[in-house]
Amino acid sequence: MRALRFLPYSAPYRLLSAVARPRTNRALFLSDSRPGFGGNLAYIRDELRRQQPDTEIIGIFKPSLRSRRSFLDALRLPYFMATSAVIVLDDFYPLVYPLRIRRGTRLVQVWHAAGAFKRVGHSRAGLPGGPTPGSRIHRNYTAATVSSPGVRADYAEAYGIPVERVHALGVPRSDVFFDTVRLQRTRTSVRAALDVGPGVKLALFAPTFRGNGQLSAYTDESADWGSVASQLGPGWRVAVKHHPFTSRAASQLPSNVIDATHGTEMNDLLAAADVLITDYSSVIFEFALLERPVVFFVPDLEEYATSRDFYRPFSEYAIGPVVTEPAELARTIAHATVDSAKLTAFLGEFCGALDGHSSERIVRDLLIVDPLRAKPKRIDSAPARLMRRFGLDVVAAHASRMVLTAVSTAMLVLPRRRKITMLSREADKPPIDFVLLRDAVCAADERVHIVISSRTVPGGVLPKLGYALHLLVELYHVATSRVVVLDGYSFVASAARHGRGLTVVQIWHALGAMKKFGISILGRPEGRDPRLAKALRMHDRYDVVLASAERCRPAYAEAFGTDPSKIMIAPLPRVDRLRDPIARQRARARFARLYPDLGNRPIVLYAPTFRTPGSAARKPVDPLELTRALHAAGYTVITKLHPLVAPPEHAEIRTAPGMSTQDVMLVADVFVTDYSSAVFEAAVAEVPSYLLALDLDEYLVSRDFYLNYPDDLGLPFAASIDDLVDSIRRGDADDIQLRRVRENFTQLDAEVDAAPLLASSLLSFMTEPERTR
């Protein structure tokens, strides 16, 4: 029913997303709980205009969920959602949750409240008014902002998203509390408008609502505010501002009480107030910034805790006196004070990112779009994009798997031989791990037949037809082998049908476990579509998975969706070459022939990881800028980009053509990377290593890590090229750091070579009892 209800929006959105690209300077603001720009949305709009004056700002609003959407808004909403680079929300917005947000668009939730007080969203699962099992609300946010690092996990739970998508960048509307001039001016003007004279104290009652949400909200009216105002006397005024959800249904206030519900922003009222009275409203977090007394009026605390609950025990929020009886209100308000120790702890836990620059950070780090990264993940034809948008790529994957299953079933009649087949899609030539492993197997048992098949997936329709024929050849070799070794995903190994007597071994193509991969990143900007992964049976049917250290076992089990007991701890064969002094001598001689003019200048190898276009890399490192900066410091830079990335062609950038990253690793005096697993190879080769990352926050969102980057690596980290140069000059990298990385992520045995050890295991698999698949 929900799908049918939102079909008039979701269907046009999918169609428009397939044929139109998002505009990098278009920002869309949406709300179903306010009539126009206000609160966080107003602050962000103004900051966007300041930082990026050419931004096209569009707002589509409704004052409440009950309000009917205009016909014009219903027509234009799918178009603007499909063509905006940024969509900003500040509250619950049900229309957007059934949508699969297109690549190139960011859906950012800046929630209207600071801190983490009463439970919201998926945190209310199982409570009255909580989401139903399987609910998709909130789950498609690409980013969310919060007021403190201490509440990131709470909001990740509330939204049902990874904590890495939750950024402690602050709350935009809190910025005003750090502008003392503006704050005093607002206080004076609001008190004058409310007829609060000089020397008179203003007590503001600002409660939250009761009920399950906007449609069922009601207010608690257990206090007689007219009586409270009378008891406080002429030196006080009392104002009441009801929650927006209950403003229409609230009872009329006595004549001696100020009705502040309509016409005045909450922030302005807080600036004017001397004492805040509330119950469970998140307004306490902003008012705490003013360091003024708060009184908690909670006559229904036990009932509310049972039906709604809090993220922390209520006592952790109670930075002021707690009142449960209306008769105690006046006396408590008159004598309320600030507990400095409680307030300091409270601000540290819930308001750590509030410093007057929240709007600036959110706009700069999340909303401004770099045109270079706004391109779709894959630059291809409109028909291909249409296939993805309407799920035809998934249909094609299912059809391909059916064909593969049929062909592999027919090949079950072929006899298995004493053969090991190695399959790779990482390059068009045999990877070094396969070469070393082949030689070790042949040295141990020359009767074993070894087949290495290495070919990348080509672009274009006709080349892919040729690749399909290549898969048939691979399928034959798999059907006639006893062991299959993979260094990445293989359609033939995972999706085909295999008979008895085959062992599938996944050795992956990287040491350690740093950035997430495989099943761990399904649905992320740099990961596969989960539906496509299911159709292709991604990383299915592995009998053994190789990991380079015990610490990597949980990561590899997660990445391949396999039982941890299937993980075999052993380093990749390539570590033999990295530790081989003869290989080092040969690499250096080859490098000297390639660059005879370098003299004695130290060599810096720069080898970053790849980024999927449009998913991360807000500010990637410019290899030319890095080359020039290090050259001025007396270093020669060799840049080796990921094999999936075209090498730079600038005359000043040296790339050591014909030499692999590992070849140059044996030559380098210094290694620099961002998130590449080559950092573990550098540790094995004992090359001092440095980390340089300019887009860490965005990479966390699009890819994420298995470890706490960069702290768990313990290597020098720089967020700018200048900082990196200074760090290298000081020699911040040392042998202790490298030894720690080796011990944690590459379980090496100085007495045993890796390739013969793995070869012995493969030969043992050939004689194990046959497995039934």
Side-chain angles (χ1 to χ4, degrees), residues 111-117 147 155 171 173-174 282 285-286 350-351 354:
W111 202 244
H112 55 279
F117 199 168
S147 60
Y155 277 81
V171 177
R173 65 188 184 92
S174 72
S282 62
F285 302 108
E286 284 91 347
F350 298 109
C351 304
L354 305 185

Side-chain angles (χ1 to χ4, degrees), residues 16 23 57 73 169 217 234 391 447 450 469 472 505 536 546 551 554 556 585 589 596 640 643 712 722 746:
L16 290 165
R23 298 186 184 181
I57 295 175
D73 283 351
L169 299 176
R447 297 171 300 167
I450 306 291
L469 297 176
L472 290 177
V505 181
L536 296 175
L546 193 72
R551 177 170 179 166
Y556 276 63
Q585 291 176 4
K640 300 297 289 187
D712 284 355
D722 290 341
T746 57

